[in-house]
């Protein structure tokens, strides 16, 4: 026992084989169980459907027989009432029985004293005995209390009675149980005069019902409206016993419930135990009668072949599990054989010999995937080492970039400090002038001439406008100014010549002695859709720079039209802009030298305004006698 345990513990193939069987067994058993349960349910449902179909076919035969008996009476009713005489009534009963093989007997009974010559009672009766037919006027007896007479008289319509024993005090009686179709008779004044019955023998009805059965031990049961049996394989229960018998109440309440369903005219399928045997019962009422017919199918008959199949399947299942254990052991043993070789190779790699390569394999099973995984893992380690080297190189590069960025940040900080100093100087200069002249006016106003006061006011105004211009440019260059510009891009109808003239007038306010030559090829009514404020600001800055950095004598503003744009060309004569500085002329806060007046924002703001208006601002590279700026705006904004 110990050696077997040791072999089991050391054998991977044996462990895997038993694991496969243990895993497969519950799945296999559960699957087979579910198949059996579903098959059993399916067979029962199909059997119920087959039984219901058989019940319907049987009911159709029963209804045909009942309709034949009822039709025999219905067809003769009018003729009987036309010839309502004793001799005629005897002949009618004989003819009905003679012409209808399903009719075992026929009677016509009358109300008291309808035929005075015969006294209180008169009954014409014909009965079939085998191949012979006998017709008689029955001897007087109290037939008024019989159910076949009292029921149609009370209901005033034709009806079927439950089967009964026909023995009476008359001269002629049926030798077996019969069911009667009873039809009330009325004269021309609609007075009740009697009852006509056509009889169907219970043995004939039983033969019709039991002519076909779906299973060897299946049987039919028919009960009346009060639960009495009148078709049953146990003939001792006929007529005298009901489905509600006291023995059923104690032992089988399900049968009592079935009886209530049948006697109340319901139809359906019930699964109950009858005499200790599980059965399913299909039941349905018989049309135009108070009866109900049921087909009882023992479950043993329905599942007989299924149970035989179960006895075969269980040994086959056990044999299949043993075969699975045997074959899985061989397959697993063969499948894991390459693992030992892979183990040896991995031990070599573990010892530090990374040059030992694990090859890829084309096997698609678990062992092959394991070998490929080891090979892929080795390649992945090589890639990770290479990635680490690259990451180290990247980190060194980024460190250098960070050092360079730090240098640039320090340079930017220096530029920011220089800009603040320059801005402070640029703002402080006009402020000092304004403050100085305001003090002169305050202290020496009485000693100054009118011309001196005017010159001082002009100087203060000029510096105030310069200060206002710088503040406006600072605001425009900020985020708030940019947001305001982008949010106010609504296009107005702009008169091109008028904008140019207003820009020139603004320049004259700063440079009163300046001359600007304005040339236009457009009429004053020519307009475009643009933003007048930001267009005017752009033209002012370009003219301001031309007035400040040129010779102040030869400044020209030319306005002309192209196929798709309007072009403003501002040309001046002077020292111009050097070639190395031309590319930086639109960079914010950048000036030719620190001693130059201004913040270095005029042209960059003009460039931004023109771009936001959908246009283009450029410095003409081919003009070297000064500066020439070209502004182009689309005709349609």
């Amino acid at each position: 026992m110990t050696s077997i345990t040791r072999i089991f513990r050391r054998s991977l193939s044996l462990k895997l084989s038993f694991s496969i069987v243990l895993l497969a067994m519950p799945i296999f058993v559960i699957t087979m169980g579910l198949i059996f349960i579903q098959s059993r349910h399916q067979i029962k449902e199909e059997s119920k459907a087959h039984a219901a179909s058989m019940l319907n076919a049987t009911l159709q035969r029963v209804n045909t027989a009942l309709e034949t008996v009822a039709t025999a009476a219905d067809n003769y009713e009018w003729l009987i009432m036309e010839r309502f005489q004793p001799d005629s009534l005897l002949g009618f009963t004989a003819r009905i029985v003679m012409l209808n093989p399903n009719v075992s007997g026929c009677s016509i009974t009358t109300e008291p004293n309808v035929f005075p010559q015969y006294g209180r009672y008169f009954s014409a009766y014909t009965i079939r005995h085998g191949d012979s037919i006998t017709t008689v006027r029955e001897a007087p007896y109290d037939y008024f209390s019989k159910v076949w007479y009292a029921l149609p008289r009370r209901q005033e319509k034709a009806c079927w009675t439950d089967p009964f024993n026909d023995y009476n005090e008359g001269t002629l009686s049926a030798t077996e149980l019969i069911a009667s179709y009873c039809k009330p008779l009325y004269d021309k004044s609609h007075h009740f005069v009697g009852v006509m019955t056509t009889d169907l023998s219970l043995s004939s009805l039983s033969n019709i019902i039991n002519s076909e059965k779906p299973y060897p031990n299946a049987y039919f049961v028919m009960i009346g409206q009060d639960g009495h049996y009148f078709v049953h394989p146990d003939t001792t229960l006929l007529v005298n016993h009901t489905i509600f018998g006291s023995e059923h109440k104690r032992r089988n309440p399900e049968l009592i419930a079935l009886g209530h369903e049948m006697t109340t005219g319901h139809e359906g399928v019930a699964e109950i135990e009858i005499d200790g045997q599980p059965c399913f019962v299909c039941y349905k009422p018989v049309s135009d009668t108070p009866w109900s017919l049921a087909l009882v199918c023992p479950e043993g008959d329905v599942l007989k072949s299924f149970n035989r199949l179960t006895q075969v399947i269980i040994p086959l299942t056990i044999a299949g599990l043993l075969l699975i254990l045997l074959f899985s052991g061989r397959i697993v043993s063969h499948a894991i054989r390459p693992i030992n070789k892979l183990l040896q190779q991995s031990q070599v790699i573990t010892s530090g010999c990374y040059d030992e390569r694990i090859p890829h394999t084309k096997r698609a099973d678990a062992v092959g995937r394991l070998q490929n995984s080891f090979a892929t893992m080795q390649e992945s380690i090589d890639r990770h080492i290479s990635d680490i080297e690259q990451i180290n190189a990247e980190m060194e590069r980024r460190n250098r970039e960070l050092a360079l960025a730090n240098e640039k940040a320090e340079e930017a900080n220096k530029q920011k400090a220089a800009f603040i100093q320059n801005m402070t100087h640029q703002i402080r200069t006009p402020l000092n002038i304004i403050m100085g002249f305001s003090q002169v006016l305050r202290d020496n106003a009485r000693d100054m001439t009118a011309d001196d006061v005017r010159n001082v006011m002009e100087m203060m105004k000029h510096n105030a406008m310069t200060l206002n211009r710088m503040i406006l440019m600072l605001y425009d260059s900020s985020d708030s100014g940019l947001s305001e510009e982008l949010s106010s891009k609504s296009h107005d109808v702009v008169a091109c010549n008028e904008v140019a003239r207003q820009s020139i007038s603004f320049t004259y306010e700063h440079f009163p002695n300046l001359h600007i030559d304005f040339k236009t090829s457009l009429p004053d009514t020519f307009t475009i859709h643009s933003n007048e404020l930001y267009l005017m600001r752009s033209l002012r800055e370009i003219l301001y720079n031309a007035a400040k950095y040129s010779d102040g004598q030869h400044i020209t503003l030319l306005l002309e039209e192209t196929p798709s744009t309007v072009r403003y060309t501002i040309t001046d004569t002077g020292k111009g802009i050097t070639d190395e500085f031309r590319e930086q002329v639109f960079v914010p806060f950048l000036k030719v030298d620190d001693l130059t007046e201004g913040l270095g924002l005029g042209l960059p703001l003009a460039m931004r305004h023109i771009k936001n208006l959908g246009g283009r601002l450029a410095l003409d590279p081919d003009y070297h006698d000064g500066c020439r700026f070209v502004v182009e705006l689309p005709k349609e904004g």
Side-chain angles (χ1 to χ4, degrees):
M1 185 67 182
T2 305
S3 59
I4 295 176
T5 304
R6 185 181 303 110
I7 293 173
F8 183 80
R9 292 178 60 186
R10 296 177 60 87
S11 175
L12 178 60
S13 61
L14 191 59
K15 288 181 180 180
L16 291 176
S17 300
F18 271 100
S19 299
I20 291 172
V21 172
L22 292 176
L23 179 64
M25 183 180 299
I27 298 175
F28 193 74
V29 172
I30 291 173
T31 302
M32 293 300 296
L34 291 175
I35 292 175
F36 275 19
I37 292 173
Q38 183 63 27
S39 300
R40 180 185 178 91
H41 176 73
Q42 188 69 26
I43 290 174
K44 289 180 67 174
E45 292 301 318
E46 291 178 357
S47 300
K48 290 177 183 179
H50 179 57
S53 176
M54 181 67 70
L55 178 64
N56 289 332
T58 303
L59 278 173
Q60 189 171 0
R61 293 196 304 272
V62 170
N63 289 332
T64 300
L66 296 179
E67 288 176 2
T68 301
V69 174
T71 302
D74 293 339
N75 289 342
Y76 275 89
E77 179 187 8
W78 69 274
L79 190 58
I80 291 172
M81 298 312 299
E82 286 290 330
R83 304 176 183 178
F84 200 71
Q85 298 296 327
D87 295 338
S88 299
L89 298 182
L90 291 169
F92 286 140
T93 59
R95 187 182 305 175
I96 290 173
V97 174
M98 185 182 303
L99 298 178
N100 296 278
N102 290 332
V103 177
S104 62
C106 177
S107 70
I108 300 176
T109 56
T110 66
E111 282 285 89
N113 301 315
V114 169
F115 300 118
Q117 64 271 32
Y118 295 108
R120 177 179 175 82
Y121 304 100
F122 179 84
S123 174
Y125 185 38
T126 300
I127 190 170
R128 185 192 304 274
H129 289 288
D131 294 332
S132 63
I133 296 175
T134 304
T135 302
V136 298
R137 182 175 70 82
E138 293 186 281
Y141 72 98
D142 185 17
Y143 53 77
F144 303 115
S145 59
K146 300 294 184 181
V147 65
W148 54 264
Y149 190 93
L151 185 62
R153 181 180 186 185
R154 182 175 64 254
Q155 294 182 353
E156 297 184 354
K157 63 178 182 180
C159 58
W160 280 92
T161 64
D162 286 353
F164 59 93
N165 190 331
D166 190 42
Y167 174 78
N168 53 57
E169 299 83 357
T171 58
L172 190 63
S173 296
T175 58
E176 58 184 349
L177 297 176
I178 60 174
S180 296
Y181 176 74
C182 311
K183 189 174 185 64
L185 300 176
Y186 297 91
D187 60 14
K188 295 180 179 179
S189 299
H190 201 68
H191 292 138
F192 178 75
V193 295
V195 173
M196 176 174 62
T197 64
T198 48
D199 304 329
L200 176 65
S201 69
L202 196 60
S203 60
S204 299
L205 186 60
S206 297
N207 292 334
I208 293 172
I209 292 174
N210 293 309
S211 60
E212 293 184 25
K213 292 189 296 184
Y215 302 105
N217 296 316
Y219 58 90
F220 286 94
V221 173
M222 182 177 283
I223 63 175
Q225 59 184 348
D226 55 358
H228 280 87
Y229 294 108
F230 54 89
V231 172
H232 196 283
D234 185 358
T235 57
T236 61
L237 300 178
L238 297 181
V239 178
N240 295 324
H241 292 79
T242 72
I243 196 171
F244 305 112
S246 58
E247 67 277 7
H248 299 320
K249 292 181 181 179
R250 292 191 302 269
R251 293 183 300 174
N252 198 346
E254 294 179 347
L255 189 61
I256 303 300
L258 175 64
H260 284 293
E261 287 288 308
M262 294 178 66
T263 54
T264 52
H266 293 90
E267 62 177 276
V269 180
E271 295 189 25
I272 62 175
E273 282 193 6
I274 299 178
D275 297 331
Q277 183 180 15
C279 304
F280 63 84
V281 181
C282 297
Y283 56 93
K284 194 172 184 179
V286 181
S287 300
D288 300 326
T289 70
W291 312 332
S292 183
L293 181 64
L295 173 59
V296 180
C297 300
E299 193 172 290
D301 278 13
V302 175
L303 301 177
K304 186 175 182 179
S305 59
F306 180 79
N307 294 332
R308 285 201 301 267
L309 180 63
T310 304
Q311 297 173 359
V312 176
I313 291 296
I314 292 176
L316 290 178
T317 302
I318 296 173
L321 291 174
L322 294 175
L323 289 175
I324 290 174
L325 178 61
L326 176 62
F327 284 108
S328 63
R330 292 182 176 274
I331 294 172
V332 170
S333 177
H334 178 268
I336 66 175
R337 191 177 301 162
I339 293 181
N340 293 327
K341 184 178 180 180
L342 184 60
L343 177 61
Q344 296 173 358
Q345 290 175 327
S346 62
Q347 287 174 346
V348 172
I349 295 174
T350 304
S351 64
C353 183
Y354 295 104
D355 294 333
E356 179 73 19
R357 309 300 299 181
I358 298 177
H360 284 272
T361 181
K362 294 183 179 180
R363 290 182 58 170
D365 57 6
V367 177
R369 293 197 298 272
L370 179 62
Q371 181 174 343
N372 290 333
S373 296
F374 269 96
T376 304
M377 181 178 64
Q378 190 176 30
E379 295 171 357
S380 178
I381 291 173
D382 293 340
R383 286 196 302 271
H384 283 308
I385 293 174
S386 177
D387 291 341
I388 291 172
E389 294 175 352
Q390 292 180 2
I391 289 172
N392 290 333
E394 180 69 16
M395 289 181 64
E396 293 178 359
R397 184 184 65 80
R398 290 188 178 183
N399 288 335
R400 292 193 297 269
E401 291 179 351
L402 287 174
L404 182 59
N406 189 38
E407 293 177 0
K408 290 182 178 180
E410 292 179 356
E411 181 64 26
N413 193 34
K414 293 179 181 179
Q415 292 179 357
K416 181 180 70 172
F419 166 71
I420 293 174
Q421 292 175 359
N422 178 53
M423 183 184 67
T424 304
H425 172 73
Q426 295 293 337
I427 293 176
R428 187 172 59 244
T429 299
L431 278 176
N432 289 336
I433 294 173
I434 293 172
M435 291 174 63
F437 278 116
S438 63
Q439 187 174 0
V440 170
L441 288 175
R442 184 189 63 187
D443 297 338
N444 303 314
R446 295 179 181 180
D447 298 332
M448 295 175 65
T449 63
D451 291 336
D452 292 336
V453 172
R454 185 171 54 254
N455 290 333
V456 170
M457 296 298 291
E458 289 292 335
M459 186 64 68
M460 291 176 67
K461 178 182 178 182
H462 173 75
N463 283 276
M465 292 175 63
T466 301
L467 185 60
N468 180 66
R469 175 175 173 272
M470 286 191 291
I471 293 173
L472 181 61
M473 284 194 296
L474 285 173
Y475 178 75
D476 283 347
S477 64
S478 66
D479 292 338
S480 299
L482 178 59
S483 301
E484 181 178 333
E485 178 181 343
L486 295 176
S487 63
S488 61
K489 287 179 64 177
S490 59
H491 289 174
D492 308 319
V493 177
V494 179
C496 297
N497 289 340
E498 182 62 25
V499 170
R501 292 189 183 99
Q502 291 181 14
S503 301
I504 293 172
S505 298
F506 175 81
T507 308
Y508 284 158
E509 292 179 2
H510 289 270
F511 303 94
N513 299 321
L514 183 69
H515 174 71
I516 300 175
D517 189 12
F518 176 50
K519 299 177 181 180
T520 178
S521 61
L522 303 178
D524 288 343
T525 57
F526 187 87
T527 59
I528 62 173
H529 289 279
S530 187
N531 191 294
E532 183 175 1
L533 175 62
Y534 290 102
L535 174 58
M536 189 180 300
R537 285 184 182 179
S538 302
L539 295 177
R540 285 175 182 177
E541 292 301 329
I542 299 172
L543 288 171
Y544 190 91
N545 277 274
K548 186 167 60 171
Y549 297 110
S550 70
D551 59 6
Q553 300 296 323
H554 303 88
I555 300 175
T556 304
L557 174 55
L558 174 63
L559 176 57
E560 56 187 345
E561 180 185 8
T562 68
S564 60
T565 64
V566 172
R567 180 185 299 155
Y568 292 89
T569 305
I570 301 171
T571 307
D572 64 70
T573 302
K575 61 180 180 180
I577 301 175
T578 60
D579 292 339
E580 63 270 18
F581 195 71
R582 281 178 174 268
E583 295 182 358
Q584 301 176 352
V585 71
F586 296 111
V587 177
F589 307 113
L590 189 62
K591 300 191 297 181
V592 177
D593 58 70
D594 294 336
L595 299 178
T596 306
E597 179 187 352
L599 301 175
L601 290 173
L603 290 177
L605 286 175
M607 171 66 81
R608 193 184 76 186
H609 296 335
I610 296 302
K611 282 187 176 180
N612 286 337
L613 293 176
R616 183 179 69 89
L617 170 61
L619 176 62
D620 189 352
D622 298 327
Y623 183 74
H624 299 284
D625 294 335
C627 291
R628 175 179 289 158
F629 289 92
V630 180
V631 177
E632 285 190 326
L633 293 170
K635 293 180 180 180
E636 296 294 332

